[in-house]
Amino acid sequence: MQFPDLNQLSLAQQVAQMVVVRASSHLFDHQIQYPEFGERDRATLKHWIGDLGVGGVIFWGGNAGELSLRIQQLQAWATYPLLIAADIEEGVGQRFTGGTWFAPPMALNAIAQTDLPKAIEYARQMGAITAQEALAVGINWILAPVVDVNNNPANPVINIRAFGETPEIVSQLATAYIHGAADYPVLTCAKHFPGHGDTSVDSHWELPIITHDRARLDSIELPPFRSAIAAGVDSVMSAHLLIPALDPEFPATLSPRILTEELRHNLGFEGLISTDALVMGAITDRYGADDAPVMAVAAGSDIILMPVNPEIAIQAVCHAVESGLISAERIKESVGRIWRSKQKLFKQWDGVTLTQSPVNSQPATLMTLAAPTSMAVAKSVLQDSLTIQGNLPLQPSPGKNIVVLEEILDSTFLSRSTPAVTIPTKLGYQLQLINRHSPTIRIEPDELIILQLFIRTSPFSGGLGIVSVAKQLFQQLLADRQLQGLVIYGSPYLMADFAPHLPPEIPCVFCYGQMAAAQSIALEQLFGGHN
């Protein structure tokens, strides 16, 4: 298809193409779950897409079938096809029930320590399967891979989302992921430029500061981005970070020195530059709903992701152009990149019918979700990245199954029917759920305890808060000699912290994943044939 000449679009229409808004994946207004992060009712969303002409939508959560219908609805409202984005770093199933859910990327780092070629192949398959399933539901912009080098175990926002702790491993695995996705008409995204791996502050809430000098950035943070660009990554997402060595005044998202001089000129990146979500505290607490989008565009961003108010953002950028702060040519450059990206994705658009670009000959349908071969790859990654110690298998005996998790009410991986609950229950253990808000825990003196910890320190999760609860409980059970077995799902850093204190006979299993498949694999190791 041919998009119209940019001169046929008004300035406001051009700027609107740079805006990507948040939307609920559910079909009905009463199902909206995250209004504080930009999800709005049907009428407002239709106004943004149909009247303002925003260029894209980002989704988070729900089920794959309903999401597919939702995306069809939104594309039908659009004058030009929409970029449909999602943070599916661990596969479609991470955010949308029904798809394949992979272990966090750092699981591949564990495999790479003993078998790098196998880890690289897993990363390639992960990219290919994620791309295929994304197309099946209508997602065309995969906000992955994360190419941050997580060399700070206390990192509350990247952590196990990274492919590893060294630039060499991260570069190789991220490159393989990009190559795997490249066989499908989707966009990939390297994030978070110029590197969010060595922070101890979550940019969803505050502005982290990285004090490393230029030499350190060149040797650790920047190489994976260079590799991703060389591999043909379609977009790069900025980080909400202050890095004085590159720009002592502005965070990367709002810095011309970092986005234009460093990323565009020094690294030679020609694809889309996107902000991270502008509703995040690192930006919103310091810059207004109108200033942040203008500063981001002036810095070099092509995509204004999740502005606080899309309508105000469009007006503010238009005013900046009219007042001479931003050139009209600068806007056309960004929209030109967006046009080229959309041409990669779509071959036909008449306002009603939308057909994906024929990069891959197999039509994408919902039937491709969670195919047996895809699920087998996901299971193999979980299995091959397990860590076990102690006397296994454990001989079950009546006791208590204490499950510690970050959020009980919003858990996407735990229910009364998932293995972490059902398997111990069948073996005679009584369930007790605990989070950081739980009152003092009462344990009878003669009870034996299976302790299952679901802790991965992900954004918004409060994971670092639950760690202290888990540590206190762990120490209490060891002191009272009541700990029968330990299973940790999520953070290898927690495993590394706990493992040295475990008596050698107590069985312990660590699994990177938290989903039902991970629970089955871990408990099979713990109990062997008894489950």
Side-chain angles (χ1 to χ4, degrees), residues 249-465:
E249 185 176 3
F250 297 113
T253 295
L254 309 180
S255 170
R257 293 185 185 181
I258 293 176
L259 297 190
T260 296
E261 294 180 23
E262 190 66 39
L263 182 54
R264 279 275 181 241
H265 297 160
N266 293 348
L267 271 64
F269 180 60
E270 298 179 354
L272 291 177
I273 296 178
S274 174
T275 71
D276 203 342
L278 293 183
V279 296
M280 291 165 61
I283 298 298
T284 58
D285 290 349
R286 289 168 171 76
Y287 307 94
D290 50 355
D291 289 343
V294 171
M295 295 175 71
V297 173
S301 288
D302 303 305
I303 298 290
I304 304 168
L305 181 64
M306 290 175 61
V308 174
N309 185 312
E311 203 150 1
I312 289 176
I314 294 168
Q315 293 170 357
V317 174
C318 287
H319 179 71
V321 174
E322 292 161 353
S323 64
L325 181 63
I326 298 174
S327 71
E329 188 58 34
R330 167 72 189 81
I331 300 300
K332 289 181 180 178
E333 289 174 359
S334 285
V335 181
R337 294 187 192 100
I338 294 167
W339 257 206
R340 289 190 291 275
S341 297
K342 290 186 175 182
Q343 285 172 330
K344 171 183 175 178
L345 303 177
F346 306 104
K347 67 175 182 179
Q348 182 180 346
W349 176 260
D350 58 15
V352 178
T353 305
L354 180 150
T355 307
Q356 301 287 351
S357 174
V359 176
N360 186 276
S361 59
Q362 297 298 320
T365 70
L366 288 175
M367 297 305 294
T368 64
L369 294 180
T373 51
S374 302
M375 298 294 281
V377 172
K379 183 177 180 180
S380 294
V381 172
L382 289 167
Q383 189 74 54
D384 291 349
S385 58
L386 277 181
T387 299
I388 58 175
Q389 68 179 59
N391 295 338
L392 292 165
L394 173 65
Q395 180 68 41
S397 60
K400 185 171 286 185
N401 170 30
I402 297 182
V403 177
V404 180
L405 66 167
E406 294 153 9
E407 293 294 341
I408 293 175
L409 294 178
D410 294 326
S411 174
T412 58
F413 52 80
L414 196 70
S415 71
R416 67 182 66 189
S417 61
T418 45
V421 174
T422 60
I423 291 175
T425 298
K426 289 178 182 177
L427 296 174
Y429 294 90
Q430 293 184 333
L431 174 66
Q432 181 172 355
L433 299 178
I434 293 173
N435 71 356
R436 66 185 185 278
H437 305 299
S438 299
T440 303
I441 304 158
R442 287 187 56 84
I443 300 173
E444 298 302 324
D446 58 343
E447 284 185 314
L448 292 177
I449 306 299
I450 296 297
L451 183 60
Q452 298 190 74
L453 306 178
F454 289 84
I455 299 176
R456 59 167 288 166
T457 60
S458 54
F460 300 111
S461 69
L464 294 179

Side-chain angles (χ1 to χ4, degrees), residues 61-283:
N63 72 73
E66 189 174 18
L67 175 66
S68 178
L69 294 174
R70 180 66 153 165
I71 292 173
Q72 291 176 45
Q73 178 188 64
L74 269 53
Q75 291 285 19
W77 292 344
T79 303
Y80 306 110
L82 297 166
L83 293 175
I84 303 294
D87 283 296
I88 44 177
E89 300 160 6
E90 299 168 25
V92 169
Q94 178 193 12
R95 302 293 181 208
F96 310 104
T97 354
T100 302
W101 189 353
F102 289 96
M106 194 170 280
L108 299 186
N109 175 67
I111 297 169
Q113 302 310 306
T114 56
D115 193 337
L116 180 59
K118 177 184 279 190
I120 289 173
E121 176 58 17
Y122 278 150
R124 186 199 66 77
Q125 291 175 308
M126 189 173 172
I129 292 167
T130 300
Q132 183 182 36
E133 293 194 0
L135 290 177
V137 297
I139 296 168
N140 52 42
W141 188 14
I142 298 171
L143 300 182
V146 171
V147 300
D148 302 309
V149 180
N150 194 81
N151 43 34
N152 185 340
N155 193 320
V157 61
I158 303 302
N159 212 277
I160 59 175
R161 297 167 62 197
F163 276 110
E165 301 167 316
T166 66
E168 296 79 14
I169 292 293
V170 171
S171 295
Q172 292 180 80
L173 297 179
T175 295
Y177 182 101
I178 293 165
H179 287 160
D183 288 337
Y184 298 87
V186 297
L187 305 180
T188 50
C189 182
K191 58 188 189 183
H192 306 79
F193 188 82
H196 207 318
D198 194 8
T199 59
S200 56
V201 171
D202 186 346
S203 54
H204 290 86
W205 306 116
E206 302 175 51
L207 181 66
I209 299 175
I210 291 184
T211 58
H212 300 311
D213 61 20
R214 178 70 203 217
R216 153 63 192 249
L217 296 171
D218 281 336
S219 63
I220 302 294
E221 276 73 24
L222 292 176
F225 287 96
R226 294 192 185 99
S227 296
I229 292 169
V233 74
D234 300 287
S235 61
V236 171
M237 179 181 289
S238 66
H240 299 332
L241 303 170
L242 186 65
I243 310 174
L246 299 181
D247 188 331
E249 185 176 3
F250 297 113
T253 295
L254 309 180
S255 170
R257 293 185 185 181
I258 293 176
L259 297 190
T260 296
E261 294 180 23
E262 190 66 39
L263 182 54
R264 279 275 181 241
H265 297 160
N266 293 348
L267 271 64
F269 180 60
E270 298 179 354
L272 291 177
I273 296 178
S274 174
T275 71
D276 203 342
L278 293 183
V279 296
M280 291 165 61
I283 298 298

